[in-house]
Amino acid sequence: MFKPDKILVPIDFSECSTLAFEQALVLAGQFDSSIRLLHVVRDDMRSKPIFFVDEDKIRELMNQQVDGALEHLGKINDRMNKQGVQVTMNVRTGSPYDEILKEEKSAGVDLIVIASRGRNGLQEFFYGSTTEKVVRRATCSVLVTRKIIDR
Ligand SMILES: Nc1ncnc2c1ncn2[C@@H]1O[C@H](COP(=O)(O)OP(=O)(O)OP(=O)(O)O)[C@@H](O)[C@H]1O
Ligand SMILES: [Mg+2]
């Protein structure tokens, strides 16, 4: 029988991804699963030629984003997790889809719950680019969540 012990929920702090967490909490309550919330701070600032920002400054900016993201994740969890589901919070730096797939492998995740769209999404695209890559490349099952308004 399919029983997801570990559920990975990538979050970009968009409304859609918060709704994905809400749905994952329902599943976790039913299957007694733990949830890993993951936010990825993009590191592509490095590859953009911004001549006045040096490496130390980039590192400082990224560390600030990591701290801010951890705080944000904690607040979302406190607000939404009323059933006492076990949730661990992680922030990685890099390319979002790549880090999501690394986390899938390293944590031995059974299910990824990810929203169809995120922060930058355009209505005409069926999936955002992160979700599309995760669906194509993950080795575990993936649940793609939607807002009712998408129908
Ligand atoms: N930086 C990130 N960290 C963690 N999860 C992310 C991140 N970016 C996206 N996701 C996950 O992927 C979902 C879909 O976002 P995605 O980036 O695919 O679409 P989008 O932002 O609407 O469009 P775009 O392809 O232009 O970025 C988000 O709701 C979130 O669950
Ligand atoms: Mg995006």
PDB file of all heavy atoms in Angstrom, residues 11 13 17-18 21-22 25 37 39 64 66-82 87-91:
ATOM      1  N   ILE A  11       8.695  25.389  -1.219  1.00  0.00           N
ATOM      2  CA  ILE A  11       7.896  26.618  -1.033  1.00  0.00           C
ATOM      3  C   ILE A  11       8.670  27.826  -1.552  1.00  0.00           C
ATOM      4  O   ILE A  11       9.843  28.008  -1.220  1.00  0.00           O
ATOM      5  CB  ILE A  11       7.569  26.789   0.472  1.00  0.00           C
ATOM      6  CG1 ILE A  11       6.429  25.848   0.835  1.00  0.00           C
ATOM      7  CG2 ILE A  11       7.246  28.203   0.831  1.00  0.00           C
ATOM      8  CD1 ILE A  11       5.569  26.325   1.967  1.00  0.00           C
ATOM      9  N   PHE A  13       7.055  30.841  -1.235  1.00  0.00           N
ATOM     10  CA  PHE A  13       6.291  31.852  -0.491  1.00  0.00           C
ATOM     11  C   PHE A  13       5.189  32.499  -1.325  1.00  0.00           C
ATOM     12  O   PHE A  13       4.637  33.517  -0.934  1.00  0.00           O
ATOM     13  CB  PHE A  13       7.205  32.927   0.131  1.00  0.00           C
ATOM     14  CG  PHE A  13       8.255  32.322   1.022  1.00  0.00           C
ATOM     15  CD1 PHE A  13       9.603  32.544   0.799  1.00  0.00           C
ATOM     16  CD2 PHE A  13       7.892  31.492   2.078  1.00  0.00           C
ATOM     17  CE1 PHE A  13      10.573  31.961   1.605  1.00  0.00           C
ATOM     18  CE2 PHE A  13       8.857  30.898   2.889  1.00  0.00           C
ATOM     19  CZ  PHE A  13      10.188  31.137   2.649  1.00  0.00           C
ATOM     20  N   SER A  17       2.052  28.074  -3.366  1.00  0.00           N
ATOM     21  CA  SER A  17       2.895  27.110  -2.645  1.00  0.00           C
ATOM     22  C   SER A  17       2.446  26.973  -1.190  1.00  0.00           C
ATOM     23  O   SER A  17       2.588  25.912  -0.586  1.00  0.00           O
ATOM     24  CB  SER A  17       4.380  27.471  -2.748  1.00  0.00           C
ATOM     25  OG  SER A  17       4.692  28.635  -2.035  1.00  0.00           O
ATOM     26  N   THR A  18       1.860  28.026  -0.630  1.00  0.00           N
ATOM     27  CA  THR A  18       1.317  27.915   0.733  1.00  0.00           C
ATOM     28  C   THR A  18       0.108  26.976   0.722  1.00  0.00           C
ATOM     29  O   THR A  18      -0.074  26.173   1.645  1.00  0.00           O
ATOM     30  CB  THR A  18       0.918  29.318   1.257  1.00  0.00           C
ATOM     31  OG1 THR A  18       2.017  30.189   1.045  1.00  0.00           O
ATOM     32  CG2 THR A  18       0.603  29.289   2.733  1.00  0.00           C
ATOM     33  N   PHE A  21       1.274  23.453   0.763  1.00  0.00           N
ATOM     34  CA  PHE A  21       1.630  23.030   2.127  1.00  0.00           C
ATOM     35  C   PHE A  21       0.368  22.632   2.898  1.00  0.00           C
ATOM     36  O   PHE A  21       0.350  21.634   3.625  1.00  0.00           O
ATOM     37  CB  PHE A  21       2.398  24.157   2.827  1.00  0.00           C
ATOM     38  CG  PHE A  21       2.782  23.856   4.259  1.00  0.00           C
ATOM     39  CD1 PHE A  21       3.303  22.627   4.617  1.00  0.00           C
ATOM     40  CD2 PHE A  21       2.631  24.828   5.246  1.00  0.00           C
ATOM     41  CE1 PHE A  21       3.667  22.358   5.941  1.00  0.00           C
ATOM     42  CE2 PHE A  21       2.990  24.577   6.565  1.00  0.00           C
ATOM     43  CZ  PHE A  21       3.508  23.338   6.915  1.00  0.00           C
ATOM     44  N   GLU A  22      -0.691  23.416   2.696  1.00  0.00           N
ATOM     45  CA  GLU A  22      -1.959  23.117   3.379  1.00  0.00           C
ATOM     46  C   GLU A  22      -2.450  21.708   2.986  1.00  0.00           C
ATOM     47  O   GLU A  22      -2.856  20.918   3.839  1.00  0.00           O
ATOM     48  CB  GLU A  22      -2.980  24.168   2.941  1.00  0.00           C
ATOM     49  CG  GLU A  22      -4.180  24.305   3.838  1.00  0.00           C
ATOM     50  CD  GLU A  22      -4.978  25.545   3.426  1.00  0.00           C
ATOM     51  OE1 GLU A  22      -4.476  26.662   3.630  1.00  0.00           O
ATOM     52  OE2 GLU A  22      -6.076  25.386   2.879  1.00  0.00           O
ATOM     53  N   LEU A  25      -0.325  19.026   4.528  1.00  0.00           N
ATOM     54  CA  LEU A  25      -0.636  18.829   5.953  1.00  0.00           C
ATOM     55  C   LEU A  25      -1.822  17.878   6.123  1.00  0.00           C
ATOM     56  O   LEU A  25      -1.837  17.052   7.036  1.00  0.00           O
ATOM     57  CB  LEU A  25      -0.940  20.170   6.625  1.00  0.00           C
ATOM     58  CG  LEU A  25       0.268  21.041   6.989  1.00  0.00           C
ATOM     59  CD1 LEU A  25      -0.182  22.442   7.400  1.00  0.00           C
ATOM     60  CD2 LEU A  25       1.100  20.411   8.106  1.00  0.00           C
ATOM     61  N   LEU A  37       9.819  20.977   4.675  1.00  0.00           N
ATOM     62  CA  LEU A  37       9.559  22.211   3.927  1.00  0.00           C
ATOM     63  C   LEU A  37      10.902  22.706   3.406  1.00  0.00           C
ATOM     64  O   LEU A  37      11.867  22.795   4.163  1.00  0.00           O
ATOM     65  CB  LEU A  37       9.013  23.290   4.865  1.00  0.00           C
ATOM     66  CG  LEU A  37       7.508  23.400   5.114  1.00  0.00           C
ATOM     67  CD1 LEU A  37       7.248  24.587   6.032  1.00  0.00           C
ATOM     68  CD2 LEU A  37       6.749  23.540   3.816  1.00  0.00           C
ATOM     69  N   HIS A  39      12.870  25.740   1.063  1.00  0.00           N
ATOM     70  CA  HIS A  39      12.944  26.939   0.212  1.00  0.00           C
ATOM     71  C   HIS A  39      14.349  27.030  -0.367  1.00  0.00           C
ATOM     72  O   HIS A  39      15.331  26.789   0.336  1.00  0.00           O
ATOM     73  CB  HIS A  39      12.637  28.216   1.003  1.00  0.00           C
ATOM     74  CG  HIS A  39      12.777  29.445   0.156  1.00  0.00           C
ATOM     75  ND1 HIS A  39      11.879  29.774  -0.827  1.00  0.00           N
ATOM     76  CD2 HIS A  39      13.746  30.390   0.103  1.00  0.00           C
ATOM     77  CE1 HIS A  39      12.271  30.881  -1.437  1.00  0.00           C
ATOM     78  NE2 HIS A  39      13.406  31.276  -0.889  1.00  0.00           N
ATOM     79  N   GLN A  64      21.546  36.699   4.257  1.00  0.00           N
ATOM     80  CA  GLN A  64      20.358  37.425   4.752  1.00  0.00           C
ATOM     81  C   GLN A  64      19.084  36.771   4.230  1.00  0.00           C
ATOM     82  O   GLN A  64      18.107  36.617   4.950  1.00  0.00           O
ATOM     83  CB  GLN A  64      20.385  38.868   4.279  1.00  0.00           C
ATOM     84  CG  GLN A  64      21.286  39.767   5.114  1.00  0.00           C
ATOM     85  CD  GLN A  64      21.417  41.156   4.483  1.00  0.00           C
ATOM     86  OE1 GLN A  64      20.703  41.500   3.541  1.00  0.00           O
ATOM     87  NE2 GLN A  64      22.345  41.943   4.992  1.00  0.00           N
ATOM     88  N   VAL A  66      18.723  33.630   3.350  1.00  0.00           N
ATOM     89  CA  VAL A  66      18.558  32.319   4.006  1.00  0.00           C
ATOM     90  C   VAL A  66      17.910  32.519   5.382  1.00  0.00           C
ATOM     91  O   VAL A  66      16.934  31.843   5.734  1.00  0.00           O
ATOM     92  CB  VAL A  66      19.923  31.592   4.135  1.00  0.00           C
ATOM     93  CG1 VAL A  66      19.814  30.387   5.056  1.00  0.00           C
ATOM     94  CG2 VAL A  66      20.434  31.166   2.763  1.00  0.00           C
ATOM     95  N   ASP A  67      18.418  33.494   6.157  1.00  0.00           N
ATOM     96  CA  ASP A  67      17.859  33.758   7.490  1.00  0.00           C
ATOM     97  C   ASP A  67      16.399  34.179   7.388  1.00  0.00           C
ATOM     98  O   ASP A  67      15.541  33.716   8.144  1.00  0.00           O
ATOM     99  CB  ASP A  67      18.651  34.865   8.210  1.00  0.00           C
ATOM    100  CG  ASP A  67      20.041  34.399   8.588  1.00  0.00           C
ATOM    101  OD1 ASP A  67      20.276  33.177   8.558  1.00  0.00           O
ATOM    102  OD2 ASP A  67      20.894  35.256   8.898  1.00  0.00           O
ATOM    103  N   GLY A  68      16.129  35.095   6.437  1.00  0.00           N
ATOM    104  CA  GLY A  68      14.753  35.572   6.242  1.00  0.00           C
ATOM    105  C   GLY A  68      13.829  34.429   5.868  1.00  0.00           C
ATOM    106  O   GLY A  68      12.698  34.335   6.351  1.00  0.00           O
ATOM    107  N   ALA A  69      14.318  33.520   5.011  1.00  0.00           N
ATOM    108  CA  ALA A  69      13.486  32.401   4.555  1.00  0.00           C
ATOM    109  C   ALA A  69      13.177  31.455   5.714  1.00  0.00           C
ATOM    110  O   ALA A  69      12.039  30.981   5.861  1.00  0.00           O
ATOM    111  CB  ALA A  69      14.201  31.650   3.433  1.00  0.00           C
ATOM    112  N   LEU A  70      14.176  31.184   6.575  1.00  0.00           N
ATOM    113  CA  LEU A  70      13.938  30.287   7.724  1.00  0.00           C
ATOM    114  C   LEU A  70      12.870  30.866   8.647  1.00  0.00           C
ATOM    115  O   LEU A  70      11.989  30.156   9.147  1.00  0.00           O
ATOM    116  CB  LEU A  70      15.236  30.070   8.508  1.00  0.00           C
ATOM    117  CG  LEU A  70      16.132  28.947   7.990  1.00  0.00           C
ATOM    118  CD1 LEU A  70      17.471  28.985   8.693  1.00  0.00           C
ATOM    119  CD2 LEU A  70      15.471  27.578   8.161  1.00  0.00           C
ATOM    120  N   GLU A  71      12.953  32.191   8.850  1.00  0.00           N
ATOM    121  CA  GLU A  71      11.979  32.861   9.710  1.00  0.00           C
ATOM    122  C   GLU A  71      10.568  32.773   9.096  1.00  0.00           C
ATOM    123  O   GLU A  71       9.596  32.447   9.779  1.00  0.00           O
ATOM    124  CB  GLU A  71      12.393  34.323   9.854  1.00  0.00           C
ATOM    125  CG  GLU A  71      11.801  34.993  11.070  1.00  0.00           C
ATOM    126  CD  GLU A  71      12.256  36.448  11.141  1.00  0.00           C
ATOM    127  OE1 GLU A  71      13.459  36.721  10.935  1.00  0.00           O
ATOM    128  OE2 GLU A  71      11.391  37.298  11.379  1.00  0.00           O
ATOM    129  N   HIS A  72      10.522  33.015   7.800  1.00  0.00           N
ATOM    130  CA  HIS A  72       9.257  32.968   7.062  1.00  0.00           C
ATOM    131  C   HIS A  72       8.637  31.567   7.125  1.00  0.00           C
ATOM    132  O   HIS A  72       7.436  31.398   7.372  1.00  0.00           O
ATOM    133  CB  HIS A  72       9.534  33.363   5.618  1.00  0.00           C
ATOM    134  CG  HIS A  72       8.365  33.940   4.896  1.00  0.00           C
ATOM    135  ND1 HIS A  72       8.486  34.873   3.917  1.00  0.00           N
ATOM    136  CD2 HIS A  72       7.046  33.692   5.009  1.00  0.00           C
ATOM    137  CE1 HIS A  72       7.296  35.186   3.455  1.00  0.00           C
ATOM    138  NE2 HIS A  72       6.406  34.480   4.105  1.00  0.00           N
ATOM    139  N   LEU A  73       9.472  30.534   6.923  1.00  0.00           N
ATOM    140  CA  LEU A  73       8.986  29.144   6.981  1.00  0.00           C
ATOM    141  C   LEU A  73       8.405  28.839   8.353  1.00  0.00           C
ATOM    142  O   LEU A  73       7.345  28.221   8.482  1.00  0.00           O
ATOM    143  CB  LEU A  73      10.134  28.154   6.700  1.00  0.00           C
ATOM    144  CG  LEU A  73      10.645  28.055   5.266  1.00  0.00           C
ATOM    145  CD1 LEU A  73      11.867  27.141   5.206  1.00  0.00           C
ATOM    146  CD2 LEU A  73       9.562  27.525   4.333  1.00  0.00           C
ATOM    147  N   GLY A  74       9.117  29.295   9.399  1.00  0.00           N
ATOM    148  CA  GLY A  74       8.658  29.062  10.773  1.00  0.00           C
ATOM    149  C   GLY A  74       7.293  29.691  11.005  1.00  0.00           C
ATOM    150  O   GLY A  74       6.407  29.077  11.607  1.00  0.00           O
ATOM    151  N   LYS A  75       7.110  30.909  10.485  1.00  0.00           N
ATOM    152  CA  LYS A  75       5.828  31.606  10.689  1.00  0.00           C
ATOM    153  C   LYS A  75       4.693  30.893   9.966  1.00  0.00           C
ATOM    154  O   LYS A  75       3.594  30.744  10.507  1.00  0.00           O
ATOM    155  CB  LYS A  75       5.925  33.048  10.176  1.00  0.00           C
ATOM    156  CG  LYS A  75       6.667  33.938  11.157  1.00  0.00           C
ATOM    157  CD  LYS A  75       6.550  35.390  10.755  1.00  0.00           C
ATOM    158  CE  LYS A  75       7.408  36.255  11.669  1.00  0.00           C
ATOM    159  NZ  LYS A  75       7.955  37.416  11.000  1.00  0.00           N
ATOM    160  N   ILE A  76       4.959  30.449   8.723  1.00  0.00           N
ATOM    161  CA  ILE A  76       3.916  29.731   7.966  1.00  0.00           C
ATOM    162  C   ILE A  76       3.523  28.461   8.710  1.00  0.00           C
ATOM    163  O   ILE A  76       2.345  28.138   8.868  1.00  0.00           O
ATOM    164  CB  ILE A  76       4.418  29.373   6.543  1.00  0.00           C
ATOM    165  CG1 ILE A  76       4.584  30.637   5.713  1.00  0.00           C
ATOM    166  CG2 ILE A  76       3.455  28.414   5.847  1.00  0.00           C
ATOM    167  CD1 ILE A  76       5.196  30.403   4.354  1.00  0.00           C
ATOM    168  N   ASN A  77       4.521  27.750   9.192  1.00  0.00           N
ATOM    169  CA  ASN A  77       4.240  26.501   9.911  1.00  0.00           C
ATOM    170  C   ASN A  77       3.429  26.770  11.181  1.00  0.00           C
ATOM    171  O   ASN A  77       2.437  26.087  11.454  1.00  0.00           O
ATOM    172  CB  ASN A  77       5.553  25.787  10.235  1.00  0.00           C
ATOM    173  CG  ASN A  77       5.293  24.422  10.847  1.00  0.00           C
ATOM    174  OD1 ASN A  77       4.383  23.710  10.413  1.00  0.00           O
ATOM    175  ND2 ASN A  77       6.045  24.072  11.858  1.00  0.00           N
ATOM    176  N   ASP A  78       3.819  27.792  11.944  1.00  0.00           N
ATOM    177  CA  ASP A  78       3.091  28.116  13.185  1.00  0.00           C
ATOM    178  C   ASP A  78       1.638  28.472  12.880  1.00  0.00           C
ATOM    179  O   ASP A  78       0.733  28.129  13.622  1.00  0.00           O
ATOM    180  CB  ASP A  78       3.741  29.304  13.907  1.00  0.00           C
ATOM    181  CG  ASP A  78       5.084  28.919  14.488  1.00  0.00           C
ATOM    182  OD1 ASP A  78       5.407  27.721  14.506  1.00  0.00           O
ATOM    183  OD2 ASP A  78       5.833  29.831  14.889  1.00  0.00           O
ATOM    184  N   ARG A  79       1.444  29.182  11.774  1.00  0.00           N
ATOM    185  CA  ARG A  79       0.095  29.631  11.431  1.00  0.00           C
ATOM    186  C   ARG A  79      -0.784  28.471  10.957  1.00  0.00           C
ATOM    187  O   ARG A  79      -1.975  28.426  11.252  1.00  0.00           O
ATOM    188  CB  ARG A  79       0.200  30.700  10.323  1.00  0.00           C
ATOM    189  CG  ARG A  79      -1.113  31.319   9.916  1.00  0.00           C
ATOM    190  CD  ARG A  79      -0.907  32.642   9.207  1.00  0.00           C
ATOM    191  NE  ARG A  79       0.082  32.609   8.138  1.00  0.00           N
ATOM    192  CZ  ARG A  79      -0.171  32.210   6.895  1.00  0.00           C
ATOM    193  NH1 ARG A  79      -1.374  31.832   6.549  1.00  0.00           N
ATOM    194  NH2 ARG A  79       0.779  32.225   5.986  1.00  0.00           N
ATOM    195  N   MET A  80      -0.185  27.529  10.209  1.00  0.00           N
ATOM    196  CA  MET A  80      -1.021  26.526   9.540  1.00  0.00           C
ATOM    197  C   MET A  80      -1.030  25.143  10.177  1.00  0.00           C
ATOM    198  O   MET A  80      -1.970  24.389   9.982  1.00  0.00           O
ATOM    199  CB  MET A  80      -0.575  26.403   8.081  1.00  0.00           C
ATOM    200  CG  MET A  80      -0.860  27.658   7.307  1.00  0.00           C
ATOM    201  SD  MET A  80      -0.138  27.634   5.687  1.00  0.00           S
ATOM    202  CE  MET A  80      -0.956  26.256   4.961  1.00  0.00           C
ATOM    203  N   ASN A  81       0.017  24.790  10.880  1.00  0.00           N
ATOM    204  CA  ASN A  81       0.137  23.409  11.361  1.00  0.00           C
ATOM    205  C   ASN A  81      -0.505  23.239  12.729  1.00  0.00           C
ATOM    206  O   ASN A  81       0.165  23.189  13.745  1.00  0.00           O
ATOM    207  CB  ASN A  81       1.613  23.010  11.393  1.00  0.00           C
ATOM    208  CG  ASN A  81       1.807  21.551  11.732  1.00  0.00           C
ATOM    209  OD1 ASN A  81       0.850  20.781  11.836  1.00  0.00           O
ATOM    210  ND2 ASN A  81       3.052  21.174  11.906  1.00  0.00           N
ATOM    211  N   LYS A  82      -1.825  23.128  12.714  1.00  0.00           N
ATOM    212  CA  LYS A  82      -2.536  23.029  13.990  1.00  0.00           C
ATOM    213  C   LYS A  82      -2.624  21.580  14.483  1.00  0.00           C
ATOM    214  O   LYS A  82      -2.906  21.332  15.639  1.00  0.00           O
ATOM    215  CB  LYS A  82      -3.959  23.599  13.870  1.00  0.00           C
ATOM    216  CG  LYS A  82      -4.026  25.026  13.354  1.00  0.00           C
ATOM    217  CD  LYS A  82      -3.566  26.041  14.397  1.00  0.00           C
ATOM    218  CE  LYS A  82      -3.646  27.449  13.840  1.00  0.00           C
ATOM    219  NZ  LYS A  82      -2.539  28.309  14.201  1.00  0.00           N
ATOM    220  N   VAL A  87       7.241  18.799  11.244  1.00  0.00           N
ATOM    221  CA  VAL A  87       7.734  19.534  10.064  1.00  0.00           C
ATOM    222  C   VAL A  87       9.183  19.964  10.304  1.00  0.00           C
ATOM    223  O   VAL A  87       9.492  20.549  11.342  1.00  0.00           O
ATOM    224  CB  VAL A  87       6.853  20.786   9.793  1.00  0.00           C
ATOM    225  CG1 VAL A  87       7.414  21.590   8.620  1.00  0.00           C
ATOM    226  CG2 VAL A  87       5.406  20.385   9.506  1.00  0.00           C
ATOM    227  N   THR A  88      10.060  19.637   9.352  1.00  0.00           N
ATOM    228  CA  THR A  88      11.423  20.181   9.430  1.00  0.00           C
ATOM    229  C   THR A  88      11.573  21.213   8.317  1.00  0.00           C
ATOM    230  O   THR A  88      10.993  21.066   7.241  1.00  0.00           O
ATOM    231  CB  THR A  88      12.511  19.091   9.269  1.00  0.00           C
ATOM    232  OG1 THR A  88      12.255  18.376   8.076  1.00  0.00           O
ATOM    233  CG2 THR A  88      12.523  18.144  10.428  1.00  0.00           C
ATOM    234  N   MET A  89      12.355  22.243   8.602  1.00  0.00           N
ATOM    235  CA  MET A  89      12.494  23.336   7.638  1.00  0.00           C
ATOM    236  C   MET A  89      13.924  23.439   7.142  1.00  0.00           C
ATOM    237  O   MET A  89      14.853  23.400   7.947  1.00  0.00           O
ATOM    238  CB  MET A  89      12.088  24.648   8.297  1.00  0.00           C
ATOM    239  CG  MET A  89      10.597  24.782   8.371  1.00  0.00           C
ATOM    240  SD  MET A  89      10.100  25.947   9.601  1.00  0.00           S
ATOM    241  CE  MET A  89       9.726  24.877  10.941  1.00  0.00           C
ATOM    242  N   ASN A  90      14.061  23.545   5.836  1.00  0.00           N
ATOM    243  CA  ASN A  90      15.394  23.637   5.258  1.00  0.00           C
ATOM    244  C   ASN A  90      15.449  24.759   4.241  1.00  0.00           C
ATOM    245  O   ASN A  90      14.484  24.962   3.498  1.00  0.00           O
ATOM    246  CB  ASN A  90      15.744  22.352   4.499  1.00  0.00           C
ATOM    247  CG  ASN A  90      15.770  21.161   5.417  1.00  0.00           C
ATOM    248  OD1 ASN A  90      16.673  21.035   6.233  1.00  0.00           O
ATOM    249  ND2 ASN A  90      14.769  20.313   5.314  1.00  0.00           N
ATOM    250  N   VAL A  91      16.591  25.436   4.210  1.00  0.00           N
ATOM    251  CA  VAL A  91      16.822  26.423   3.169  1.00  0.00           C
ATOM    252  C   VAL A  91      18.139  26.060   2.494  1.00  0.00           C
ATOM    253  O   VAL A  91      19.144  25.819   3.164  1.00  0.00           O
ATOM    254  CB  VAL A  91      16.893  27.858   3.725  1.00  0.00           C
ATOM    255  CG1 VAL A  91      17.185  28.855   2.618  1.00  0.00           C
ATOM    256  CG2 VAL A  91      15.591  28.224   4.413  1.00  0.00           C
TER     257      VAL A  91
END
